[in-house]
Amino acid sequence: MSNLSSSVGIVTPQHADFATPLPLNSGHVLASYRLTFETYGTLNAARSNGILICHALSGHHHVAGRYSADDKAAGWWDNMVGPGKPIDTNRFFVVGVNNLGGCHGSSGPSSIDPDCGQPWGSRFPVVTVPDWVTAQARLADRLGIDRWAAVIGGSLGGMQALQWSIDYPERIAHALVIASAPKLSAQNIAFNDVARQAIITDPDFLGGDFYAHGTIPRRGLRLARMLGHITYLSDDGMGEKFGRMLRSGEYQFGYDVEFEIESYLRYQGDKFSDYFDANTYLLMTKALDYFDPAKDYGGDLVAALKKATASFLVASFTSDWRFSPERSRETVKALIAAGKRVCYGEIESVHGHDAFLMTDQPYVDLMQAYLDRVAAEVNA
Amino acid sequence: MTTLTTLRPDLQLIADWVAPASRVLDLGCGEGELLAWLQQHKQVNGYGVDFDVNNVVSCVKAGVNAIQGDLEAGLAEFEDQRFEHVVLSQTIQAMQHTEEILLEMLRVGREAIVTFPNFGYWQNRWQIMQGHMPVSDDMPYQWYNTPNIHWCMLGDFENLCAKNHIRVLERVVMAHGRRVSFLPNLRGSLAFYRVGRG
């Protein structure tokens, strides 16, 4: 049985600086860059028990544990990663990395461009999922990991796991693609563009170079997050949690916060705009929009997956309408047609897209069972 | 992963019909016993489909590829003629879309193996003559809680095949784990069919 309360304890982020230029999908070349990452557990002598955790839109390298004894919040996937948990740090060497373009220590729009000593701002190139995977592969080289026992991610993270299986078939034994999609739908892109427009049209955005002016496009970022949050929850889940509850018990006939859901969304938006970078938000949503591994194969996902040698776990959640089960089934269908080993679970949950961060029992059981299989293969 | 040495007799009969190293789709695969055995003993390459997430978890534990899905919705995840064998074991009688699943099985596979409890078994007839719906080891439900909604006898299933131009390639009828060849529709409690388009 997995123990969802144990923790990896106090953790410290690390940095890896790369001086080898990184050619990007966009045609730009990043001359040098930094990746910030964390590791938990111990790499075995055969270097075969490494697991890479890829983060989603607003995630980062701080996957599990705390930075100090009185740190209020643990890493974003602390319920899944730790001793005795499904991604068991007693068995696996787990790596979390902040992707390029992020705002948590890796090179990104808010970090300093070494060429001019100023924040990159609008000059930071747009990066894509394959660019991230290339950068992650270089980090793997640095860590001495030739082949990951598994690459795991939810949402945008799942897209990276899928891309790994295509770009580095010999370097990944298992891909766990959770609450994800093989490409975005028009509706997904539409939501992302509304979020981007909220940020770009904020007068404090200043074309992306707001750092020098000491401003933050807080209003835009806040709206983007509020919109995003609505799409991460399900109607039922939201109804269950907030319903039509009023903060004061009766209508105020005004435009201040009245319904609990308004209060919740504004709180989430405010909190987010305090710590997240607006340019990173733009960049991450673009990486989502551009993701389409079938594009280089004439739109044929089966052809794209042909050379993958990994085994796959695909999982989706019934109430997720941002990346619905139908989208995961597209991936499953292509994997089966390509003759790959794949398991697929469609988890009953009210938590919407956010369910991949929760602990609905069948989800935990499925992850546990699959990762037991991964561990058995590498004798971890 | 534990090594399975013995299979339930009805699953063993199905396993005997499966060619070594073939591609197998097991519909309503449960905990994956059949596929796990076939992978270990016949090196098949297979997928199971089951509606219940807990069965998918059990399949993962057994090292079986399992796809959670609803057979009533068809087999859209699978392309035409992807498998040599498609198995539907003691499930067809519980399905709404009986004819559809049979056609789907032969769309995605070259051969279908279908097994079901024979309603014509004498003990069932005897219980009906006594004024009750049959309850037995192979049909362990009361009329009010049975998932089995489409009962048939051997001839009924064969008529459905004929209607759809499906050929019966092989038929075995069993009772108490033994084959029955004399008066099978009366003496057999479980029917096993291997059918195809060929």
Side-chain angles (χ1 to χ4, degrees):
Chain A
M1 257 349 294
S2 59
N3 178 357
L4 295 179
S5 63
S6 56
S7 167
V8 297
I10 308 292
V11 298
T12 314
Q14 304 173 56
H15 308 287
D17 291 309
F18 296 84
T20 313
L22 182 71
L24 303 171
N25 263 194
S26 63
H28 288 87
V29 176
L30 214 47
S32 65
Y33 55 96
R34 162 174 282 197
L35 290 178
T36 296
F37 65 100
E38 286 176 15
T39 71
Y40 326 104
T42 310
L43 188 60
N44 63 13
R47 299 177 176 272
S48 63
N49 66 335
I51 285 187
L52 176 67
I53 308 288
C54 302
H55 68 76
L57 179 54
S58 58
H60 41 68
H61 56 282
H62 184 37
V63 176
R66 291 164 199 271
Y67 287 143
S68 63
D70 52 2
D71 191 349
K72 284 200 293 283
W76 59 267
W77 221 6
D78 195 71
N79 54 22
M80 197 60 86
V81 178
K85 295 179 185 180
I87 303 170
D88 188 346
T89 49
N90 290 333
R91 302 195 290 190
F92 297 114
F93 177 66
V94 180
V95 179
V97 58
N98 186 210
N99 280 326
L100 278 179
C103 54
H104 293 89
S106 293
S107 296
S110 55
S111 69
I112 302 297
D113 177 357
D115 279 355
C116 63
Q118 298 293 317
W120 280 91
S122 62
R123 288 173 302 108
F124 196 85
V126 170
V127 292
T128 63
V129 170
D131 294 333
W132 285 336
V133 167
T134 308
Q136 290 161 1
R138 290 186 180 182
L139 179 64
D141 294 340
R142 190 72 63 90
L143 294 169
I145 296 168
D146 287 340
R147 188 168 189 254
W148 297 104
V151 177
I152 306 177
S155 190
L156 178 56
M159 294 172 174
Q160 293 159 58
L162 193 66
Q163 191 75 48
W164 259 98
S165 75
I166 296 168
D167 289 354
Y168 296 98
E170 71 292 348
R171 298 194 68 174
I172 160 177
H174 292 270
L176 282 75
V177 182
I178 304 160
S180 194
K183 60 174 183 254
L184 293 200
S185 66
Q187 189 194 48
N188 292 149
I189 295 170
F191 277 123
N192 283 345
D193 194 48
V194 174
R196 283 192 295 266
Q197 288 299 311
I199 291 168
I200 291 168
T201 58
D202 185 323
D204 288 333
F205 181 64
L206 299 167
D209 294 312
F210 51 88
Y211 313 99
H213 299 84
T215 65
I216 295 174
R218 202 178 286 279
R219 283 163 293 184
L221 204 45
R222 183 170 175 269
L223 281 177
R225 183 59 167 179
M226 288 170 77
L227 174 71
H229 226 87
I230 296 167
T231 70
Y232 304 150
L233 302 176
S234 73
D235 192 15
D236 285 349
M238 222 187 237
E240 225 169 73
K241 197 166 170 187
F242 304 104
R244 292 180 50 82
M245 266 187 303
L246 294 162
R247 297 186 76 196
S248 69
E250 44 193 278
Y251 291 172
Q252 302 297 315
F253 300 99
Y255 299 105
D256 282 340
V257 176
E258 285 195 68
F259 291 93
E260 287 291 353
I261 181 62
E262 296 175 306
S263 164
Y264 172 78
L265 283 179
R266 291 183 196 196
Y267 170 74
Q268 292 294 338
D270 287 338
K271 199 173 71 166
F272 190 69
S273 66
D274 281 342
Y275 73 83
F276 207 82
D277 178 64
N279 283 310
T280 291
Y281 201 89
L282 298 182
L283 181 148
M284 295 280 170
T285 58
K286 267 298 188 191
L288 273 163
D289 291 0
Y290 288 142
F291 180 69
D292 183 6
K295 188 165 176 284
D296 291 340
Y297 299 83
D300 184 351
L301 187 59
V302 180
L305 289 165
K306 264 273 149 39
K307 63 179 176 174
T309 57
S311 299
F312 294 81
L313 174 67
V314 179
S316 69
F317 301 90
T318 50
S319 59
D320 182 355
W321 56 282
R322 182 81 190 233
F323 291 141
S324 69
E326 288 72 27
R327 307 308 316 285
S328 283
R329 283 203 294 265
E330 285 173 36
T331 305
V332 170
K333 185 177 180 177
L335 286 168
I336 293 170
K340 305 302 166 193
R341 291 175 299 275
V342 52
C343 290
Y344 172 60
E346 203 167 292
I347 313 292
E348 189 85 32
S349 171
V350 297
H351 293 119
H353 187 54
D354 269 351
F356 83 89
L357 297 166
M358 307 290 181
T359 52
D360 290 298
Q361 197 57 49
Y363 174 42
V364 175
D365 292 345
L366 186 63
M367 292 292 279
Q368 181 74 58
Y370 197 87
L371 284 150
D372 283 347
R373 204 199 260 194
V374 175
E377 282 180 23
V378 295
N379 297 315
Chain B
M1 198 154 61
T2 50
T3 305
L4 294 164
T5 45
T6 50
L7 266 181
R8 243 168 47 203
D10 62 312
L11 295 182
Q12 186 61 57
L13 198 149
I14 296 170
D16 291 344
W17 275 346
V18 171
S22 59
R23 288 174 298 185
V24 179
L25 179 64
D26 185 6
L27 304 176
C29 63
E31 298 187 344
E33 314 86 307
L34 176 65
L35 279 172
W37 191 93
L38 286 170
Q39 283 174 189
Q40 285 167 26
H41 294 85
K42 288 196 162 181
Q43 289 72 49
V44 305
N45 179 339
Y47 300 94
V49 178
D50 206 280
F51 189 63
D52 184 344
V53 69
N54 294 316
N55 281 339
V56 172
V57 171
S58 297
C59 285
V60 169
K61 286 180 184 164
V64 165
N65 292 319
I67 309 298
Q68 194 178 345
D70 181 6
L71 301 180
E72 301 287 3
L75 303 174
E77 273 75 30
F78 305 95
E79 58 185 354
D80 294 359
Q81 296 299 302
R82 169 102 203 109
F83 301 94
E84 271 85 41
H85 307 278
V86 184
V87 178
L88 185 64
S89 166
Q90 298 193 48
T91 302
I92 197 166
Q93 78 282 353
M95 289 196 61
Q96 298 269 359
H97 300 92
T98 315
E99 192 168 6
E100 288 86 344
I101 194 66
L102 191 59
L103 297 174
E104 275 287 84
M105 289 172 79
L106 288 170
R107 176 183 66 78
V108 303
R110 200 160 51 80
E111 277 185 21
I113 297 172
V114 180
T115 79
F116 54 86
N118 175 27
F119 202 74
Y121 182 47
W122 71 269
Q123 289 190 359
N124 298 340
R125 300 182 195 217
W126 178 242
Q127 289 185 55
I128 290 170
M129 278 167 63
Q130 290 178 313
H132 296 288
M133 286 298 283
V135 179
S136 67
D137 287 349
D138 292 322
M139 301 161 50
Y141 300 99
Q142 297 294 332
W143 66 274
Y144 50 83
N145 66 9
T146 183
N148 300 322
I149 51 172
H150 284 141
W151 285 121
C152 71
M153 307 188 198
L154 306 187
D156 299 321
F157 180 74
E158 287 165 26
N159 285 347
L160 178 64
C161 289
K163 177 188 168 229
N164 289 292
H165 311 290
I166 293 167
R167 239 164 41 105
V168 174
L169 304 170
E170 202 168 345
R171 181 185 83 183
V172 168
V173 182
M174 292 180 91
H176 308 294
R178 272 198 295 255
R179 291 190 186 214
V180 175
S181 45
F182 177 63
L183 296 178
N185 197 36
L186 191 62
R187 297 179 60 238
S189 61
L190 269 183
F192 299 73
Y193 282 88
R194 192 162 68 79
V195 302
R197 294 278 184 201

